[in-house]
Amino acid sequence: MALSSSTSYHFDYYTIDLNDEFSGLYGPLLYDQLEYVNSSLYRIFELYGERKNIPKSIVIIGHSMGGVIAKNLLSQNLDPNLISVLITLAAPLKRVPIFFDLHMHNFYKWDNPGHNKTTFVSLSGGYADFFDTSKFK
């Protein structure tokens, strides 16, 4: 949370550490991480207690499998106004390159409710993200 609220505008930001677990390689970790992130969102709102100017929604930025977990949050039974903006960075949203187990396959069967008011932005460079070392020889 911001240390000082004396300015006219500020924002609070939080990070969620998933302990460098390889959820892209082992499907059951995705479910554990989804539950952890879901609980963390509600805990963030609890931190504000009874203060005035309590945020009504949150912006989530997720990279790689963190983006997949964040996207799956939208299919959970959340308040439809809880997540106002979701930004994913280089996240394999359609499918993971290799399905290692059935759990991972099932995790990708998300159902996005039609009443969700979240603005969703997915950023990925595609083939431009590959590092071509031949240019430096």
Side-chain angles (χ1 to χ4, degrees), residues 90-101:
L93 297 174
K94 295 288 185 188
R95 67 175 186 86
V96 38
I98 299 174
F99 286 110
F100 288 104
D101 55 47

Side-chain angles (χ1 to χ4, degrees), residues 30-47:
L30 287 169
Y31 291 98
D32 293 343
Q33 291 173 350
L34 176 66
E35 182 178 333
Y36 178 70
V37 171
N38 191 17
S39 298
S40 297
L41 288 181
Y42 286 104
R43 177 65 185 127
I44 288 169
F45 285 103
E46 289 174 4
L47 292 174

